Amino acid sequence: MLLNYEQSGLSAEQAPSVIVIHGLFGSLDNLKVVARALGEHFHVVNVDVRNHGRSFHSEQMDYPAMAEDIIALLAHLGIDKAHLVGHSMGGKIAMQVALTKPECVDKLVVLDIAPVAYHSRHDAIFKALHSVAEIAVRSRAEADALMSEHIDTMGVRQFLAKSLSKTDSGALGWQFNLPVLASQYQQILSAPVANDSCLCDTLFIKGADSDYIDSPYRDEIMRLFPKAKAKVIQGAGHWLHAEKPVAVNKSIVDFLTR
């Protein structure tokens, strides 16, 4: 099964290809601001990760499997080598592709995530998502009211609400496969699987206000990606591409075009 994807920008015959990979609870819509900026210079393929958006549902959510989804899509599109750009979980998927099949990766850009296992940090979000799933809500306002009992930050609720869509019954439901994301959450928190390092040119972009890439992770980053460089975006947290799109897009484009 192939991932759902959208192509934009220049054609694959005109320019190098870039694969754009979103994070947990998202869809390809989340990184369209990045895809648009890249489209001026590249052939862009923006994907829905398995169990998200319009992509297929599966009981498996480990990084080797999700990396194989990207590798299969590259083969389907006839792309031998591409740049990869991934945010959060999507960044781990991109890293796994580079570690599994480095010959198909040109440059790698990782947005605010490290190749390490994380502790649980989405308990409140899962409670909010389940509260909406358990009731046949008819409006986004109703869903927001339910989520607000667990999530104070409006921006987080708005981000999650982008994945609500009408079901056959006319109620709103989650596009992502919530039961599998909940059951496979420990896999999502885990580190990419690595037997060796990757020598591709790599850029880690961190939001200055985010704690997803901390100094203790530096050794593991450099062990797996010895050619890695870092860029810090001031005034941004984990959702740096939404909070500081101009700075983030410039950093990505500058790195990929030089």
Side-chain angles (χ1 to χ4, degrees):
M1 291 182 285
L2 280 177
L3 299 176
N4 180 58
Y5 64 94
E6 288 183 357
Q7 299 183 82
S8 60
L10 304 175
S11 70
E13 292 73 31
Q14 291 175 300
S17 297
V18 182
I19 313 300
V20 180
I21 313 170
H22 67 80
L24 181 61
F25 306 125
S27 72
L28 60 78
D29 287 340
N30 299 139
L31 292 181
K32 278 189 172 178
V33 65
V34 174
R36 281 194 295 271
L38 289 170
E40 297 179 18
H41 308 272
F42 300 100
H43 167 238
V44 182
V45 183
N46 196 2
V47 305
D48 280 331
V49 173
R50 64 167 61 194
N51 290 315
H52 291 76
R54 294 181 175 84
S55 280
F56 61 87
H57 286 189
S58 168
E59 295 297 314
Q60 194 174 6
M61 278 294 287
D62 59 82
Y63 287 107
M66 291 189 281
E68 286 300 329
D69 293 340
I70 302 297
I71 293 167
L73 181 59
L74 288 171
H76 172 75
L77 295 172
I79 299 171
D80 295 326
K81 199 167 191 177
H83 302 306
L84 301 184
V85 177
H87 172 249
S88 199
M89 180 185 75
K92 282 190 174 182
I93 296 171
M95 287 188 276
Q96 186 69 73
V97 174
L99 293 165
T100 301
K101 197 168 183 181
E103 65 271 21
C104 75
V105 178
D106 192 347
K107 292 183 179 181
L108 173 64
V109 179
V110 179
L111 302 179
D112 211 60
I113 200 76
V116 300
Y118 286 84
H119 296 296
S120 174
R121 56 174 69 206
H122 295 95
D123 293 349
I125 288 179
F126 275 115
K127 287 179 182 178
L129 298 176
H130 283 298
S131 72
V132 173
E134 290 164 1
I135 299 174
V137 297
R138 295 283 170 172
S139 69
R140 291 176 182 274
E142 187 179 355
D144 185 73
L146 288 170
M147 287 193 289
S148 68
E149 297 177 12
H150 305 281
I151 302 171
D152 293 331
T153 307
M154 182 181 293
V156 175
R157 301 198 305 270
Q158 290 174 333
F159 159 72
L160 294 169
K162 290 179 180 178
S163 288
L164 285 169
S165 62
K166 276 198 173 183
T167 63
D168 292 339
S169 68
L172 291 176
W174 297 115
Q175 276 192 315
F176 45 70
N177 188 349
L178 179 57
V180 167
L181 298 188
S183 68
Q184 296 295 302
Y185 183 55
Q186 290 304 314
Q187 292 282 3
I188 295 166
L189 291 173
S190 68
V193 178
N195 294 319
D196 203 353
S197 60
C198 177
L199 296 177
C200 60
D201 289 333
T202 303
L203 177 66
F204 283 82
I205 306 180
K206 167 186 166 54
D209 301 331
S210 170
D211 63 353
Y212 275 77
I213 301 180
D214 279 345
S215 54
Y217 303 151
R218 174 182 168 80
D219 288 347
E220 186 65 1
I221 289 172
M222 297 310 299
R223 183 181 76 84
L224 294 179
F225 302 96
K227 294 177 71 175
K229 298 178 180 178
K231 173 75 175 181
V232 178
I233 304 298
Q234 298 300 322
H238 186 57
W239 301 100
L240 63 173
H241 55 284
E243 296 167 325
K244 296 289 182 179
V246 173
V248 170
N249 289 342
K250 185 178 187 305
S251 297
I252 296 172
V253 171
D254 286 351
F255 176 70
L256 295 183
T257 54
R258 67 167 178 259

